[in-house]
Amino acid sequence: MENKSFNVLYNNAEKLKYEERCLEQLKKYLLKQGYPAESFHYPFHFDSIYCDLLISNPETNEPLIYFEVKTKESMNNGYRYYQKYKSNISNALFYLIYLDETKELKLIKMYPSMPFSKFMTILNSNYTSTLPLYKEIVKEQFILEKEKKKKSIKKKRDLFSLWCNGITLAIIILFILELFDVFRWTTERIVIIVLISFIPVLPLFAEIKIGDYTFKRKKQD
């Protein structure tokens, strides 16, 4: 029992030393590529995502790159981990890193559509991916965020246009029904129709004021 406990402690200590060596080499490489030290966060854990090092934009706090340390023998576990959580990574990059037989740092840049066979080919070839310069990745993220906002605005405009068309059609139908004595306009009905008609577009507004009351949409973190 004592030998087993000693082996566990020894293995854990060796693992920590290995991770420290990986991260130390990675840190030097990142600084050389222009990444500011204040952008380093390790280890990083948020929601379902865990990584040994996260690089974020200090000005916006947006994630830029996730790094996960593995041994070469356990890189297939890293591949499965990435495939499991890639949908939560958004526009950030993801790298698996390890030390080869010569203790040299190796990086593999992961892609959402990367098949396992290609991953193993890259791993067995001892190839290492390059890291973009800090200013390049910040610029790329800015462009991606700008495109994301444009799509979001377009989606809201399309929804608002659809809502306007729907309201117009509904009013026309109600006027036609009134001509045939099927429907009658009353103050209560007008108020109810207005309130109900605004429900689908409430998420489009950051703030709505009704009389002395102001309703604000809760900001997402």
Side-chain angles (χ1 to χ4, degrees):
M1 180 67 70
E2 290 182 0
N3 288 337
K4 184 177 180 181
S5 299
F6 175 79
N7 289 336
V8 170
L9 290 172
Y10 177 78
N11 290 335
N12 287 338
E14 286 298 304
K15 181 182 177 182
L16 287 174
K17 287 181 181 179
Y18 174 84
E19 289 180 353
E20 287 174 0
R21 288 195 295 268
C22 276
L23 293 173
E24 188 59 34
Q25 287 195 40
L26 178 61
K27 182 180 176 181
K28 291 178 181 178
Y29 182 28
L30 288 165
L31 291 172
K32 187 178 178 181
Q33 293 293 93
Y35 290 81
E38 59 267 25
S39 67
F40 298 0
H41 307 277
Y42 50 97
F44 176 82
H45 184 217
F46 177 74
D47 197 10
S48 59
I49 303 176
Y50 172 87
C51 68
D52 293 297
L53 173 62
L54 169 73
I55 303 298
S56 68
N57 185 332
E59 295 181 3
T60 64
N61 290 324
E62 289 294 324
L64 297 175
I65 313 177
Y66 294 91
F67 292 98
E68 178 68 12
V69 177
K70 294 293 179 184
T71 62
K72 189 170 184 178
E73 294 74 23
S74 65
M75 285 288 279
N76 56 334
N77 293 331
Y79 176 87
R80 285 194 287 269
Y81 175 83
Y82 171 72
Q83 293 298 323
K84 184 176 180 180
Y85 295 109
K86 62 185 178 183
S87 60
N88 299 334
I89 294 173
S90 187
N91 294 327
L93 302 179
F94 190 97
Y95 286 82
L96 292 174
I97 65 173
Y98 69 97
L99 296 178
D100 65 7
E101 295 79 4
T102 63
K103 307 300 180 185
E104 183 181 352
L105 182 69
K106 298 291 182 181
L107 303 89
I108 296 183
K109 183 179 179 181
M110 304 300 293
Y111 298 94
S113 58
M114 180 186 287
F116 184 69
S117 57
K118 183 176 181 180
F119 171 77
M120 291 305 297
T121 299
I122 294 172
L123 180 63
N124 293 329
S125 68
N126 232 24
Y127 170 82
T128 184
S129 303
T130 56
L131 278 175
L133 296 173
Y134 177 72
K135 60 182 180 181
E136 291 175 350
I137 194 170
V138 169
K139 183 180 178 181
E140 182 181 350
Q141 189 194 54
F142 175 78
I143 293 171
L144 289 172
E145 286 298 321
K146 193 174 180 180
E147 287 296 318
K148 186 178 178 181
K149 286 180 181 178
K150 283 174 66 177
K151 289 180 180 178
S152 177
I153 291 171
K154 184 181 182 302
K155 185 178 179 181
K156 288 180 179 180
R157 283 176 178 170
D158 291 343
L159 179 59
F160 187 73
S161 177
L162 182 65
W163 172 78
C164 289
N165 293 334
I167 291 298
T168 302
L169 180 61
I171 291 173
I172 291 172
I173 292 172
L174 290 175
F175 271 114
I176 293 172
L177 292 175
E178 187 182 26
L179 291 175
F180 291 93
D181 293 327
V182 177
F183 178 82
R184 281 284 179 268
W185 290 100
T186 64
T187 303
E188 291 79 6
R189 285 179 176 178
I190 291 172
V191 171
I192 292 171
I193 290 170
V194 169
L195 290 175
I196 293 175
S197 64
F198 266 96
I199 291 174
V201 292
L202 286 178
L204 302 180
F205 299 94
E207 181 178 309
I208 296 175
K209 191 170 184 179
I210 302 175
D212 296 329
Y213 298 95
T214 300
F215 302 91
K216 293 183 179 181
R217 188 177 61 195
K218 185 179 179 182
K219 292 183 178 179
Q220 294 182 347
D221 296 330

